[in-house]
Amino acid sequence: MDNNKDAIRLNYFSQEDLLEAGCLDFRMAIDVVESVLLAYRHGDVLFPEKIVQIFDEQTQERINCLPATLLKEKICGVKWVSVFPPNVPRFGIQNLSAVFVLSEIDRGFPIAVLEGTLASNMRVGAMGALAAKHLAPEQARSIGFIGSGEQARMHLLAMKSVRPSLRECRVSAKLPEEEQDFIAELAPLLPDMEFVATASDGERAMEGADILVTATSAQAPLLKAAWMKPGSFYSHVGGWEDEYAVALQCDKIVCDDWDTVKHRTQTLSRMYKDGELSDDDIHADLVDIVAGDRPGRESDTERAYFNAVGLAYVDVALALAMYRRALDAGKGTELTMQETTVFKHPDMAEHIRL
């Protein structure tokens, strides 16, 4: 017990701390997503506008600040996330990095700083998997990917957690070696699945798949409507990744939050601005299905389209769950912000410069 009332201490968790604590747990993540969507609906979440700082309009290099408060948990959090698409071709390194800061709101002091890329990518996968839980074929056996990066990898693990019947994964990437990297990393984790590299052939990856996922940084209609069979489920992760006809042929279009999606740059946003899609064409927000207000999958032949733009309060809720698990596991490093207030420090005269 720390009896120094002026001390402010917090815990820092690296990605390795979180992994060693068992935080790469998609059942946990999906439960968190489901719970916090309902909490937001019930008014238990504060969700201000994010702050976006774009440094290059052409490349979209940017750093975003995304805050949210979980009122019942008495936790305020913020995700500070950088997205630098040129990192991959220019330096051969990841294009996204993130940090979470969590504070308690009884006194307003920070309690934790966490590496945030893991939670960010897990949230994308968990959101898609929660949608698949309600909208994908119950005995889905095949999944196709256009895109092979971190979010595609997370999506596969998340989808497997809600559709364990999946047995085949086909992947198309910009370069064949990226497909091989995807398979080399995922095949040992999912030994009951057969992996197929398609040599950048999107049609081969997607045609006839029960679940389709596009997770790219491209701004082009890569997915064609003809490749999406009746009864399949499509999870749209990036921006503009599919031709308009994909959504137009779907029986149900579901978003994490349509009011947010329609003001962004996704395919659905473009369709809305072009007059090809209206509010009435959206079947539901995901929370409406989770709450039982709108139906999920209703037939074996209907096509379903899911688009998540990302909701920061979901990230904060997942970061809180990861913090608690890692703390319980004894992971992390305690940091001291201060031992006492400024003018209570001994020998203050030695520290002042006038």
Side-chain angles (χ1 to χ4, degrees), residues 10-209:
L10 66 152
N11 290 281
Y12 168 73
F13 300 92
S14 68
Q15 185 174 107
E16 289 69 25
D17 291 329
L18 300 173
L19 289 170
E20 290 168 9
C23 291
L24 188 56
D25 181 342
F26 281 101
R27 291 186 181 88
M28 174 191 77
I30 292 165
D31 287 345
V32 167
V33 171
E34 194 168 46
S35 296
V36 78
L37 287 175
L38 293 170
Y40 178 73
R41 166 182 267 207
H42 296 148
D44 296 327
V45 175
L46 300 181
F47 186 34
E49 288 292 323
K50 70 178 180 179
I51 298 170
V52 179
Q53 299 174 92
I54 298 175
F55 312 120
D56 189 312
E57 289 289 346
Q58 183 175 357
T59 64
Q60 287 294 296
E61 292 166 85
R62 61 196 185 275
I63 294 179
N64 298 344
C65 176
L66 302 98
T69 298
L70 312 175
L71 294 172
K72 285 193 172 181
E73 305 284 0
K74 295 188 175 181
I75 292 292
C76 178
V78 63
K79 181 171 77 167
W80 183 264
V81 56
S82 69
V83 183
F84 278 60
N87 278 2
V88 177
R90 189 181 298 165
F91 307 114
I93 58 175
Q94 68 194 55
N95 64 2
L96 184 147
S97 63
V99 175
F100 284 96
V101 178
L102 302 178
S103 295
E104 47 82 12
I105 60 172
D106 285 326
R107 300 174 304 165
F109 291 162
I111 60 171
V113 174
L114 300 86
E115 186 280 332
T117 312
L118 179 64
S120 291
N121 287 328
M122 281 184 69
R123 184 263 305 158
V124 176
M127 189 71 79
L130 180 59
K133 178 181 172 182
H134 294 278
L135 295 164
E138 286 192 14
Q139 296 300 316
R141 293 192 60 82
S142 58
I143 184 167
F145 284 88
I146 295 179
S148 63
E150 191 101 335
Q151 291 188 352
R153 289 163 163 83
M154 289 290 185
H155 240 72
L156 178 57
L157 296 174
M159 291 295 182
K160 184 67 170 173
S161 72
V162 296
R163 289 295 183 266
S165 56
L166 286 169
R167 290 293 180 270
E168 181 188 44
C169 174
R170 305 194 299 267
V171 58
S172 168
K174 189 180 296 184
L175 300 173
E177 50 265 39
E178 294 173 343
E179 298 171 5
Q180 295 301 331
D181 289 343
F182 178 96
I183 293 170
E185 292 186 7
L186 273 297
L189 305 180
L190 300 169
D192 65 338
M193 291 196 71
E194 177 187 354
F195 287 82
V196 178
T198 66
S200 306
D201 187 339
E203 181 176 3
R204 186 180 170 201
M206 300 303 234
E207 190 171 32

Side-chain angles (χ1 to χ4, degrees), residues 84-354:
F84 278 60
N87 278 2
V88 177
R90 189 181 298 165
F91 307 114
I93 58 175
Q94 68 194 55
N95 64 2
L96 184 147
S97 63
V99 175
F100 284 96
V101 178
L102 302 178
S103 295
E104 47 82 12
I105 60 172
D106 285 326
R107 300 174 304 165
F109 291 162
I111 60 171
V113 174
L114 300 86
E115 186 280 332
T117 312
L118 179 64
S120 291
N121 287 328
M122 281 184 69
R123 184 263 305 158
V124 176
M127 189 71 79
L130 180 59
K133 178 181 172 182
H134 294 278
L135 295 164
E138 286 192 14
Q139 296 300 316
R141 293 192 60 82
S142 58
I143 184 167
F145 284 88
I146 295 179
S148 63
E150 191 101 335
Q151 291 188 352
R153 289 163 163 83
M154 289 290 185
H155 240 72
L156 178 57
L157 296 174
M159 291 295 182
K160 184 67 170 173
S161 72
V162 296
R163 289 295 183 266
S165 56
L166 286 169
R167 290 293 180 270
E168 181 188 44
C169 174
R170 305 194 299 267
V171 58
S172 168
K174 189 180 296 184
L175 300 173
E177 50 265 39
E178 294 173 343
E179 298 171 5
Q180 295 301 331
D181 289 343
F182 178 96
I183 293 170
E185 292 186 7
L186 273 297
L189 305 180
L190 300 169
D192 65 338
M193 291 196 71
E194 177 187 354
F195 287 82
V196 178
T198 66
S200 306
D201 187 339
E203 181 176 3
R204 186 180 170 201
M206 300 303 234
E207 190 171 32
D210 296 312
I211 296 175
L212 302 86
V213 181
T214 54
T216 77
S217 59
Q219 293 293 319
L222 302 178
L223 176 63
K224 309 303 181 185
W227 304 344
M228 188 178 182
K229 72 175 183 179
S232 57
F233 167 77
Y234 169 41
S235 182
H236 175 114
V237 177
W240 178 31
E241 300 179 310
D242 53 313
E243 61 184 11
Y244 286 7
V246 174
L248 292 175
Q249 75 177 355
C250 284
D251 302 281
K252 288 187 171 75
I253 299 174
V254 177
C255 300
D256 58 351
D257 186 277
W258 168 237
D259 282 338
T260 303
V261 168
K262 68 183 178 183
H263 297 299
R264 297 295 180 84
T265 57
Q266 278 74 17
T267 306
L268 297 182
S269 320
R270 291 169 178 263
M271 293 177 69
Y272 180 75
K273 289 168 187 172
D274 291 345
E276 297 284 340
L277 196 70
S278 71
D279 293 339
D280 292 337
D281 294 318
I282 306 303
H283 172 68
D285 283 339
L286 183 56
V287 69
D288 300 322
I289 298 174
V290 169
D293 294 338
R294 298 286 287 163
R297 187 174 181 82
E298 295 180 280
S299 81
D300 292 337
T301 59
E302 67 181 11
R303 297 179 179 92
Y305 185 121
F306 178 66
N307 183 200
V309 72
L311 303 168
Y313 64 84
V314 179
D315 293 81
V316 170
L318 183 54
L320 177 59
M322 295 170 79
Y323 156 72
R324 287 172 170 169
R325 180 168 289 192
L327 193 65
D328 287 346
K331 300 297 180 181
T333 303
E334 185 179 75
L335 303 178
T336 299
M337 283 182 58
Q338 67 174 46
E339 289 290 355
T340 188
T341 54
V342 172
F343 288 98
K344 287 184 181 178
H345 282 87
D347 305 318
M348 271 296 293
E350 298 179 8
H351 302 311
I352 298 173
R353 302 292 183 267
L354 297 176

